[in-house]
Amino acid sequence: MFYRIDTKSPTPLYEQLIFQIKELYIQGILEPGEKLPSIRELSSVILVNPNTVSKAYQELERQGIIYTERGRGTFLTDNTALLEKAPERMEIKNQLRELVLRSRRCGIAKSELLHWVETASEEVQS
Amino acid sequence: MFYRIDTKSPTPLYEQLIFQIKELYIQGILEPGEKLPSIRELSSVILVNPNTVSKAYQELERQGIIYTERGRGTFLTDNTALLEKAPERMEIKNQLRELVLRSRRCGIAKSELLHWVETASEEVQS
Amino acid sequence: MFYRIDTKSPTPLYEQLIFQIKELYIQGILEPGEKLPSIRELSSVILVNPNTVSKAYQELERQGIIYTERGRGTFLTDNTALLEKAPERMEIKNQLRELVLRSRRCGIAKSELLHWVETASEEVQS
Amino acid sequence: MFYRIDTKSPTPLYEQLIFQIKELYIQGILEPGEKLPSIRELSSVILVNPNTVSKAYQELERQGIIYTERGRGTFLTDNTALLEKAPERMEIKNQLRELVLRSRRCGIAKSELLHWVETASEEVQS
DNA sequence: GTGGTCTAGACCACA
DNA sequence: GTGGTCTAGACCACA
């Protein structure tokens, strides 16, 4: 199984799950239309409470990445928007890693980087 | 007064204070050796709980940016490390803003960017 | 075959079946006295669990739309009430669609519309 | 207090809360910028679990109706979009009630109305 | 005090 | 079996 969770990370478990499922989808390990593991199944695999998995699935549904059929399970949509953006996502991720590296050499705290991302996001939004 | 905080920002108030004092120092608005406002004074100016200001000052002292003389107040150190790094800080901040902009066009959520900064920080650290 | 269900719809499958059989009846595609497919046959055609078809048939029988003759099958009744109401049903359906359209322009969520239908139904009932 | 919940309604409690807060806002009983009761406070008033209130608040935040300041509480935004749409909302609500009434006279089940709202919503979306 | 996350476990409608 | 809702209660960072 390729689902994994880090309980020591500051990122909430349900967000880790969201990011990971997106990543698996982008990498082609999960395919459009494919059935995801049931909430109970996944929760027992990654040793996390079913509610936590449910929260992740609901957020993914809100984002249009997955949909649920009542009584049958949860499936990936045919939404290919994510797939198309995959290369640029990768690039952004890499450049971000580089910036983090340089920040460390400058003595810039992680919290300050996070704050800059926050403020930049607000600016961009308006 | 130039101290200002945004209670609506997701960045904790005490961190906003830390970042701002650093910024004022880098920009030369606050100078080495200068006396900072007392905790009570500052907290009444920016309408924040004194504990919050105190927490910011403690962290800045831990970072060697300020020091306290009992009964006299808190002062900026002569630490010039921050000043030397000013241009690179600026550059990192700008590049970060650009990445945020591109992320938005890719449909990458802010939470995902924050998570990438987290994971990259962990990698770098080890 | 004209029976079709949408597993992605939030409407329960057995309700979709009910509505569809009524619709086929109203449109004259199914006629009074006509024999409906057996549970097993229909379930294999529309790829649905036999229990689901059974539940739909039971509800239709309860409503007096169909009746069962043991060992012979299920048949549509001569009940013409549905047929008489056909034009008004159509009109209501159309007006509902218009309201949904206007709602969207107002930013009213589907969930809110559904809730209003619920509350209005309760009022009317009492 | 004006917050009230009907545990017997088929509408989930957290959705009832969402609708009610919107309604109170539209009617001017709650005003922009005003502080909402804390999660714990409200949950004890309406005798509902804090998690349920939290879920409602989070959805309202996602919709841009409220925002939270960490450690301080939850507040209504200055978003006036809802207020501007108030009259049309009212009208739609009333027309919906009328349709429900007519439906009852036609023998149309509540479930069928709900289904029509669902299908119309899908059509409109695409 | 505030909200956010998480666990454990119940009950429900639906397939 | 499936997901959705809800309760009870813990722990956390922050103000």
Side-chain angles (χ1 to χ4, degrees):
Chain A
M1 259 309 187
F2 25 67
Y3 297 101
R4 208 155 293 173
I5 282 293
D6 176 12
T7 53
K8 290 174 186 165
S9 160
T11 308
L13 305 185
Y14 76 90
E15 284 194 349
Q16 289 183 44
L17 251 184
I18 291 170
F19 301 146
Q20 196 175 31
I21 288 171
K22 280 186 182 178
E23 208 62 38
L24 291 169
Y25 182 58
I26 285 170
Q27 293 172 4
I29 298 174
L30 295 177
E31 292 182 3
E34 188 172 341
K35 188 179 182 301
L36 287 176
S38 79
I39 290 179
R40 287 165 173 81
E41 188 189 341
L42 183 49
S43 75
S44 75
V45 167
I46 58 179
L47 301 175
V48 142
N49 191 281
N51 287 332
T52 304
V53 178
S54 174
K55 192 170 180 180
Y57 277 17
Q58 282 178 27
E59 175 60 20
L60 282 166
E61 182 159 19
R62 204 175 295 118
Q63 292 182 18
I65 314 280
I66 67 179
Y67 65 93
T68 79
E69 290 186 15
R70 200 158 10 158
R72 295 200 48 243
T74 314
F75 304 83
L76 285 162
T77 60
D78 293 341
N79 183 339
T80 57
L82 259 187
L83 297 177
E84 287 161 7
K85 301 288 188 181
E88 191 163 10
R89 276 175 65 96
M90 204 55 187
E91 202 190 320
I92 288 175
K93 205 171 163 182
N94 284 334
Q95 294 187 5
L96 209 51
R97 187 187 289 121
E98 232 178 281
L99 277 186
V100 169
L101 198 70
R102 285 173 59 194
S103 298
R104 180 154 295 261
R105 286 196 294 260
C106 274
I108 296 172
K110 186 184 73 179
S111 60
E112 193 150 13
L113 281 181
L114 295 174
H115 181 234
W116 287 348
V117 172
E118 294 279 6
T119 53
S121 295
E122 283 169 32
E123 282 175 35
V124 166
Q125 201 167 11
S126 55
Chain B
M1 257 309 186
F2 26 68
Y3 296 101
R4 205 155 297 172
I5 53 133
D6 175 11
T7 56
K8 297 188 183 181
S9 161
T11 308
L13 305 187
Y14 77 91
E15 285 191 349
Q16 288 184 45
L17 251 185
I18 292 171
F19 301 148
Q20 196 173 33
I21 288 171
K22 281 187 181 178
E23 206 62 36
L24 292 169
Y25 182 57
I26 285 170
Q27 292 172 2
I29 298 172
L30 294 178
E31 291 182 4
E34 188 172 341
K35 187 178 182 301
L36 286 174
S38 75
I39 289 177
R40 284 188 203 170
E41 189 188 341
L42 184 48
S43 72
S44 74
V45 167
I46 59 179
L47 301 174
V48 140
N49 193 300
N51 294 332
T52 304
V53 178
S54 170
K55 192 167 178 180
Y57 277 17
Q58 277 172 32
E59 176 60 18
L60 283 167
E61 186 157 13
R62 206 190 56 73
Q63 291 182 19
I65 314 277
I66 66 176
Y67 63 96
T68 322
E69 287 190 15
R70 205 147 25 140
R72 291 194 54 239
T74 47
F75 303 85
L76 284 161
T77 60
D78 292 344
N79 184 336
T80 57
L82 259 186
L83 297 177
E84 288 161 5
K85 302 287 189 183
E88 192 163 10
R89 277 176 64 95
M90 204 55 186
E91 201 190 319
I92 289 174
K93 205 170 163 181
N94 284 335
Q95 294 188 4
L96 210 50
R97 186 187 291 121
E98 230 177 285
L99 278 185
V100 169
L101 197 70
R102 286 174 56 195
S103 299
R104 181 156 293 260
R105 286 196 294 255
C106 273
I108 297 172
K110 189 184 72 179
S111 62
E112 194 150 12
L113 283 181
L114 296 174
H115 181 236
W116 287 347
V117 172
E118 294 278 6
T119 53
S121 295
E122 283 169 31
E123 285 176 26
V124 165
Q125 201 165 16
S126 55
Chain C
M1 257 310 186
F2 26 69
Y3 296 101
R4 205 155 297 173
I5 54 134
D6 175 12
T7 55
K8 296 189 185 180
S9 161
T11 308
L13 304 187
Y14 77 91
E15 285 191 348
Q16 288 184 45
L17 251 185
I18 292 171
F19 301 148
Q20 196 175 32
I21 288 172
K22 281 186 181 178
E23 206 62 36
L24 291 169
Y25 183 56
I26 285 170
Q27 292 172 3
I29 298 173
L30 295 177
E31 291 181 3
E34 187 172 343
K35 187 176 182 302
L36 286 175
S38 75
I39 290 178
R40 283 187 204 169
E41 190 189 342
L42 185 49
S43 72
S44 74
V45 167
I46 59 179
L47 300 175
V48 140
N49 194 299
N51 293 333
T52 305
V53 179
S54 169
K55 193 167 179 181
Y57 277 16
Q58 279 172 30
E59 175 60 18
L60 282 166
E61 186 158 15
R62 208 190 56 72
Q63 292 181 20
I65 314 276
I66 67 177
Y67 64 95
T68 322
E69 286 190 15
R70 205 144 27 138
R72 290 196 52 242
T74 48
F75 303 84
L76 283 162
T77 60
D78 293 342
N79 184 337
T80 57
L82 259 185
L83 297 176
E84 286 162 6
K85 301 288 188 183
E88 192 162 11
R89 275 176 63 96
M90 205 54 187
E91 201 190 320
I92 289 174
K93 205 169 162 183
N94 285 334
Q95 292 188 6
L96 210 50
R97 185 187 291 120
E98 229 178 286
L99 278 187
V100 169
L101 197 71
R102 286 175 58 197
S103 298
R104 180 156 293 260
R105 287 196 292 258
C106 272
I108 296 173
K110 189 184 72 179
S111 61
E112 194 150 13
L113 283 180
L114 296 174
H115 182 234
W116 286 347
V117 172
E118 294 279 4
T119 54
S121 296
E122 283 169 31
E123 284 176 26
V124 165
Q125 202 167 13
S126 56
Chain D
M1 261 308 187
F2 26 67
Y3 297 101
R4 208 153 296 171
I5 283 294
D6 175 11
T7 53
K8 289 174 188 166
S9 161
T11 309
L13 305 185
Y14 75 90
E15 284 194 348
Q16 288 184 44
L17 250 184
I18 291 171
F19 301 146
Q20 195 173 32
I21 288 171
K22 280 186 181 177
E23 207 60 38
L24 291 169
Y25 182 58
I26 285 169
Q27 292 173 2
I29 298 173
L30 294 177
E31 291 183 4
E34 189 171 341
K35 188 179 181 303
L36 287 175
S38 79
I39 290 178
R40 286 164 173 80
E41 189 188 342
L42 184 49
S43 74
S44 75
V45 167
I46 58 179
L47 301 175
V48 142
N49 190 281
N51 288 331
T52 304
V53 178
S54 174
K55 191 169 180 180
Y57 276 17
Q58 281 178 27
E59 175 61 20
L60 283 166
E61 183 159 18
R62 204 175 295 121
Q63 292 181 18
I65 314 280
I66 67 178
Y67 65 94
T68 78
E69 291 187 14
R70 199 154 14 152
R72 294 198 53 241
T74 313
F75 305 83
L76 285 161
T77 60
D78 292 344
N79 184 339
T80 57
L82 258 187
L83 297 176
E84 287 161 5
K85 303 287 189 182
E88 192 163 9
R89 277 176 63 96
M90 203 57 188
E91 202 189 319
I92 288 175
K93 205 171 162 182
N94 285 334
Q95 294 189 6
L96 209 51
R97 186 187 292 120
E98 232 177 283
L99 277 186
V100 169
L101 199 69
R102 285 174 57 195
S103 300
R104 179 153 295 260
R105 287 195 296 257
C106 277
I108 297 172
K110 187 185 72 179
S111 60
E112 192 151 13
L113 281 181
L114 296 175
H115 181 235
W116 287 347
V117 172
E118 294 278 6
T119 52
S121 295
E122 283 169 31
E123 282 174 36
V124 165
Q125 202 167 10
S126 56

